[in-house]
């Protein structure tokens, strides 16, 4: 817990981040399709602010390129994304960035204002920004799609998953009611969303497909081919027709309360952060990346008894999130 270091309440925090790469997101275009590839494979593509701002720049680049009709978001290596970075050397939570929304810098702010301002910028509003861009987006998901990884997949218009993919939001373990871009009851039936959050169990790709969260499930070896074949079909449609269709369906979701529900849950999310800090001195309920990954691995085994027959084999065979590669800021 940081005490104010000046009369106006500002604090001083040390930035200790050391990046393992200068290119956390790779960008390529071919045949009218832009590929945005998260590239922190040694850390299962956990998202620090460096990656978040690089993703935003890449999305902007794809929108500005008139040759691009469709955008594919993917992750390099075994996993799509194991979530938010809470335990790698590149965790840059105390580093100021040139912001793209109208919130002030968080790094010198005290108390609950610190994470509230940061997560308005890099989580909630960034995800909303990407959801609303006018070109169709497809998430190509393999392996782990955990917590903050869900946010990246959910902002995309379509999700194509490999048969070994799994989805999980275990942050209730931290006393927090789900990740910041709270779309759970819209991606899943509300009763299933409660189970998903309250147990923290992994949901295999097949069950995610049954729930309507995933468009297609394909063998891992055919994931790229299937994703780009779908992207090519969409790219054959007129640009303005695609943009208007996306706006129409997003508008229907917002009329159903998605945006206002997310605002309310974001406030509860940050009440939980502040509550944690008041009772324990730690905003994340005592979890760092390594501890969260270990708990996720243990929960994966404990949760298998209650899953459906069609899902259980995928959960047993799915990759575990290892080491310090974790999922919640």
């Amino acid at each position: 817990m940081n005490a104010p270091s000046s009369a106006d309440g500002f604090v001083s925090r040390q930035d200790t981040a050391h990046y393992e790469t200068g290119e956390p997101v790779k960008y390529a275009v071919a045949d009218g399709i832009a590929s945005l590839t998260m590239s922190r494979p040694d850390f299962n593509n956990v998202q620090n602010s460096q990656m978040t701002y690089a993703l935003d720049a890449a999305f902007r680049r794809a929108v500005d390129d008139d040759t691009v009709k469709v955008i594919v978001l993917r992750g390099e290596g075994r996993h799509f994304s194991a979530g938010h970075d809470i335990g790698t050397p590149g965790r840059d939570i105390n580093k100021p960035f040139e912001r793209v929304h109208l919130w002030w810098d968080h790094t010198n702010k005290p108390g609950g204002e610190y994470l509230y301002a940061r997560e308005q910028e890099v989580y909630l509003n960034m995800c909303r920004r990407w959801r609303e861009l006018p070109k169709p987006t497809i998430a190509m998901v393999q392996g782990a799609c955990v917590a903050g990884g869900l946010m990246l997949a959910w902002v995309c218009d379509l999700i194509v998953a490999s048969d070994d993919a799994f989805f999980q939001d275990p942050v209730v373990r931290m006393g927090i009611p789900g990740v910041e871009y709270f779309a759970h009851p819209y991606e899943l039936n509300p009763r299933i969303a409660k189970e998903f959050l309250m147990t923290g169990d992994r949901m295999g790709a097949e069950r995610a497909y049954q729930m309507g969260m995933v468009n297609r499930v394909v063998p891992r070896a055919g994931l790229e081919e299937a994703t780009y074949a779908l992207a090519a079909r969409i790219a054959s449609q007129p640009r303005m027709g695609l943009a208007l269709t996306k706006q129409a369906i997003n508008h229907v979701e917002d009329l159903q309360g998605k945006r206002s529900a997310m605002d309310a849950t974001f406030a509860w999310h940050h009440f939980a952060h502040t509550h944690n800090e008041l009772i324990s001195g730690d905003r994340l309920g005592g979890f760092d990346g390594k501890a969260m990954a270990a708990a996720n691995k243990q929960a994966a085994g404990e949760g298998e008894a209650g899953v459906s027959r069609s899902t259980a084999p995928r959960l047993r065979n799915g990759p575990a999130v290892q080491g310090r590669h974790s999922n919640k800021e």
Side-chain angles (χ1 to χ4, degrees):
M1 196 179 302
N2 296 88
S5 58
S6 62
D8 54 14
F10 295 134
V11 301
S12 177
R13 295 184 173 92
Q14 184 180 7
D15 171 30
T16 60
H18 298 282
Y19 296 139
E20 80 283 358
T21 179
E23 190 181 20
V25 177
K26 297 177 180 178
Y27 183 90
V29 175
D31 302 319
I33 302 167
S35 297
L36 281 58
T37 305
M38 295 177 283
S39 185
R40 299 188 72 198
D42 291 344
F43 298 108
N44 292 339
N45 296 321
V46 291
Q47 308 147 34
N48 54 10
S49 292
Q50 179 202 32
M51 176 183 281
T52 300
Y53 284 101
L55 278 171
D56 188 68
F59 278 121
R60 165 56 67 186
R61 184 176 176 183
V63 169
D64 288 345
D65 185 347
D66 285 340
T67 69
V68 171
K69 297 287 292 294
V70 180
I71 302 166
V72 172
L73 177 63
R74 55 191 295 175
E76 184 178 342
R78 295 174 59 219
H79 302 293
F80 176 74
S81 176
H84 293 150
D85 186 346
I86 63 171
T88 82
R91 186 178 188 234
D92 52 9
I93 190 170
N94 292 334
K95 185 185 293 293
F97 284 83
E98 185 174 344
R99 298 174 303 284
V100 298
H101 299 106
L102 295 177
W103 271 89
W104 49 75
D105 178 57
H106 70 286
T107 58
N108 65 343
K109 303 305 185 294
E113 183 180 2
Y114 168 60
L115 282 189
Y116 191 88
R118 178 177 189 264
E119 295 186 358
Q120 282 278 355
E121 165 76 6
V122 298
Y123 295 158
L124 180 61
N125 286 325
M126 204 73 87
C127 284
R128 284 175 167 171
R129 177 183 175 91
W130 300 338
R131 171 182 177 259
E132 293 168 5
L133 63 87
K135 295 184 179 181
T137 54
I138 304 174
M140 188 180 97
V141 177
Q142 82 282 10
C145 183
V146 178
L150 292 171
M151 293 164 54
L152 297 182
W154 285 348
V155 299
C156 292
D157 301 304
L158 305 175
I159 300 174
V160 180
S162 63
D163 54 7
D164 67 346
F166 65 87
F167 304 84
Q168 183 184 21
D169 189 355
V171 301
V172 172
R173 192 178 299 137
M174 297 172 167
I176 296 169
V179 288
E180 295 84 355
Y181 183 83
F182 189 85
H184 307 64
Y186 296 89
E187 298 289 341
L188 299 164
N189 176 283
R191 187 164 284 109
I192 301 300
K194 290 177 182 178
E195 176 191 2
F196 186 65
L197 283 164
M198 291 178 179
T199 65
D201 287 347
R202 297 177 180 181
M203 179 179 288
E206 183 61 34
R207 192 179 190 204
Y209 173 77
Q210 293 166 2
M211 295 297 108
M213 190 173 83
V214 167
N215 295 87
R216 299 182 182 181
V217 179
V218 299
R220 177 69 171 261
L223 177 62
E224 182 172 319
E225 180 181 2
T227 301
Y228 283 86
L230 179 60
R233 286 190 63 191
I234 295 170
S236 69
Q237 302 278 29
R239 178 180 59 255
M240 194 61 182
L242 292 171
L244 293 175
T245 299
K246 179 169 180 171
Q247 281 189 313
I249 296 174
N250 283 359
H251 179 62
V252 169
E253 284 192 309
D254 289 341
L255 288 175
Q256 292 171 335
K258 184 174 184 177
R259 187 177 184 91
S260 58
M262 204 173 286
D263 285 335
T265 307
F266 186 81
W268 295 324
H269 178 105
H270 283 278
F271 168 80
H273 275 313
T274 305
H275 178 70
N276 282 343
E277 186 169 21
L278 285 171
I279 64 174
S280 70
D282 182 84
R283 299 179 188 90
L284 303 182
F287 284 92
D288 61 9
K290 187 174 181 180
M292 196 61 160
N296 287 349
K297 194 172 181 180
Q298 179 180 356
E302 291 173 349
E304 284 175 11
V307 301
S308 69
R309 182 176 299 172
S310 64
T311 308
R314 289 181 172 82
L315 297 188
R316 284 195 291 269
N317 296 331
V321 182
Q322 298 289 341
R324 293 185 299 179
H325 321 334
S326 184
N327 41 35
K328 176 66 190 69
E329 191 80 78

